[in-house]
Amino acid sequence: MQEGRQQLCHIRFAPLLDSVVTDAAISDLHKSYKQDKQNDPGFTTLNTERVPTGLTPMPEVQPAKEVKPSDLTLSPKPCDITQSPFYNITFPSRSTFTECDLLNQIFFPRFWNCHPMARAENKPLLRDKLMTLACVMFNGIYPYCQDAEKVTAVLAQLFAGFGRLRELIKKDVLAAYQGDPAAKFLAEVIRCYPGLTAVMVQRVAHELYKLNVAVYPRELCELVHRYTAIDIHPGAEIGEYFFIDHGVGTVIGETCVIGSWCRIYQNVTLGALHFEIDSDTKMLRKNYKRHPTIGHNVVIGTGAKLLGPLTVGDHVSIGANSWVQEDIPSYTSVFIQQHPAQAKKVRKDA
């Protein structure tokens, strides 16, 4: 295994990664595996009630500044990409999405042909799998940091939370299984549903995003976007029991906050309505609230567009193709009042 690590990581850095995968991290994952029943990845241990209890209140949305038409004019400046700090850095190849495969195997070993790894007596197998992922992630983060000790410290924090992350992702599996009448088996959700894959990767990327890792969390989310056609920014905060059904064309922006037990269908956009201009740089302003905050137990139908820093309350249903740019109170249904009329005519060649 050491030889394989050296192929993945520069030989100087391979020994540093031995501190990333701790006994505590392995024990937490095996504790999570131990809850799994035969042919049931532990979902009988979860709360299956549709109404969440004990949830933290949704954060208060800070309103965006009023934008005047005169503020929407950009002043383009010359862009010299040779001045980028990453201009002469060697980046890892992206012909495959190795991280996604490894995460599947680590979080659901019994569904991705890694059964022995889930047994407590086989800790070396789990350690080797985690070390392989650590090497791949090291290669992804290092070009943007150039400090091997900082990278390994970040990875150690990430891997220490894998047991908790697995329990969170198991809740997403349960939400998909309960929320889709077409889902007949839990294995079907784990192995087939693109929404689960996109959310799994985003949850890992979000942890790195919170640790201020540059660019790499976005790389992970864009790779899974390429793979699933679901675009979730790593900065989005997503609650428990989250399900994206079908998912093609779904976009969730950086400053979105989504509560628990939410279900979203394909081609939904949780996006920005307008952008503010930085008066000094004349570029679009960054790091402010631009996207919706969604409450608990919310269903958003196919093609709906929720735009701007609006707030949607709890137990809300938003119908297909709705256009929403204002706050929606709790226990409300939103839908298009008048659908386009359907016209029919008999073909001449009938």
Side-chain angles (χ1 to χ4, degrees), residues 1 16 43 49 93 118 126 166 176 180 221 235 260 279 285 306:
M1 186 62 195
L16 286 174
F43 301 100
E49 294 181 0
S93 171
L126 179 56
R166 182 175 190 263
D180 184 6
C221 286
S260 295
S279 57
R285 185 179 159 216
L306 283 69

Side-chain angles (χ1 to χ4, degrees), residues 138-167:
F138 182 96
N139 281 347
I141 298 172
Y142 184 75
Y144 303 110
C145 177
Q146 300 286 297
D147 186 325
E149 291 187 357
K150 286 184 179 179
V151 176
T152 53
V154 163
L155 290 175
Q157 290 186 64
L158 174 68
F159 282 36
F162 264 21
R164 174 186 56 82
L165 273 177
R166 182 175 190 263
E167 291 302 307

Side-chain angles (χ1 to χ4, degrees), residues 142-216:
Y142 184 75
Y144 303 110
C145 177
Q146 300 286 297
D147 186 325
E149 291 187 357
K150 286 184 179 179
V151 176
T152 53
V154 163
L155 290 175
Q157 290 186 64
L158 174 68
F159 282 36
F162 264 21
R164 174 186 56 82
L165 273 177
R166 182 175 190 263
E167 291 302 307
L168 189 58
I169 295 164
K170 283 167 60 178
K171 294 177 181 180
D172 297 329
V173 176
L174 181 65
Y177 181 72
Q178 291 193 350
D180 184 6
K184 302 300 191 294
F185 305 96
L186 293 169
E188 182 180 4
V189 174
I190 293 169
R191 290 187 57 84
C192 304
Y193 277 44
L196 177 69
T197 302
V199 173
M200 174 188 72
V201 172
Q202 194 275 345
R203 290 199 186 279
V204 173
H206 182 67
E207 296 299 311
L208 294 169
Y209 180 91
K210 291 190 298 183
L211 293 169
N212 296 316
V213 174
V215 186
Y216 181 65

Side-chain angles (χ1 to χ4, degrees), residues 118-145:
R119 294 197 288 268
E121 65 269 23
N122 290 331
K123 287 187 178 181
L125 293 179
L126 179 56
R127 180 182 293 276
D128 282 350
K129 187 68 67 175
L130 289 168
M131 285 299 302
T132 301
L133 178 61
C135 290
V136 173
M137 287 188 159
F138 182 96
N139 281 347
I141 298 172
Y142 184 75
Y144 303 110
C145 177

Side-chain angles (χ1 to χ4, degrees), residues 82-324:
T82 63
Q83 299 305 309
S84 167
F86 311 125
Y87 183 67
N88 289 316
I89 299 298
T90 300
F91 297 96
S93 171
R94 281 303 179 195
S95 57
T96 60
F97 192 6
T98 308
E99 291 96 331
C100 187
D101 292 337
L102 291 169
L103 288 171
N104 274 325
Q105 293 164 10
I106 290 166
F107 288 139
F108 298 107
R110 293 184 177 90
F111 293 89
W112 297 98
N113 302 326
C114 295
H115 301 71
M117 192 176 75
R119 294 197 288 268
E121 65 269 23
N122 290 331
K123 287 187 178 181
L125 293 179
L126 179 56
R127 180 182 293 276
D128 282 350
K129 187 68 67 175
L130 289 168
M131 285 299 302
T132 301
L133 178 61
C135 290
V136 173
M137 287 188 159
F138 182 96
N139 281 347
I141 298 172
Y142 184 75
Y144 303 110
C145 177
Q146 300 286 297
D147 186 325
E149 291 187 357
K150 286 184 179 179
V151 176
T152 53
V154 163
L155 290 175
Q157 290 186 64
L158 174 68
F159 282 36
F162 264 21
R164 174 186 56 82
L165 273 177
R166 182 175 190 263
E167 291 302 307
L168 189 58
I169 295 164
K170 283 167 60 178
K171 294 177 181 180
D172 297 329
V173 176
L174 181 65
Y177 181 72
Q178 291 193 350
D180 184 6
K184 302 300 191 294
F185 305 96
L186 293 169
E188 182 180 4
V189 174
I190 293 169
R191 290 187 57 84
C192 304
Y193 277 44
L196 177 69
T197 302
V199 173
M200 174 188 72
V201 172
Q202 194 275 345
R203 290 199 186 279
V204 173
H206 182 67
E207 296 299 311
L208 294 169
Y209 180 91
K210 291 190 298 183
L211 293 169
N212 296 316
V213 174
V215 186
Y216 181 65
R218 189 68 185 273
E219 274 194 36
L220 292 177
C221 286
E222 288 305 322
L223 285 163
V224 82
H225 177 200
R226 182 194 307 173
Y227 186 59
T228 64
I230 297 170
D231 183 1
I232 314 176
H233 194 283
E237 299 178 25
I238 299 175
E240 299 179 341
Y241 300 99
F242 183 55
F243 175 37
I244 301 176
D245 198 2
H246 303 294
V248 172
T250 295
V251 177
I252 300 175
E254 178 186 20
T255 62
C256 274
V257 178
I258 300 175
S260 295
W261 280 114
C262 290
R263 186 165 76 248
I264 292 178
Y265 289 86
Q266 66 271 22
N267 203 30
V268 165
T269 298
L270 305 181
L273 182 61
H274 55 66
F275 301 99
E276 298 176 6
I277 307 299
D278 188 295
S279 57
D280 296 326
T281 65
K282 298 302 180 182
M283 298 190 299
L284 292 180
R285 185 179 159 216
K286 305 180 189 299
N287 302 320
Y288 70 101
K289 178 70 174 173
R290 309 181 300 281
H291 305 99
T293 294
I294 311 298
H296 307 300
N297 285 88
V298 174
V299 178
I300 305 177
T302 302
K305 311 300 177 191
L306 283 69
L307 304 177
L310 56 88
T311 299
V312 175
D314 299 338
H315 301 275
V316 170
S317 176
I318 298 177
N321 297 318
S322 297
W323 178 282
V324 181

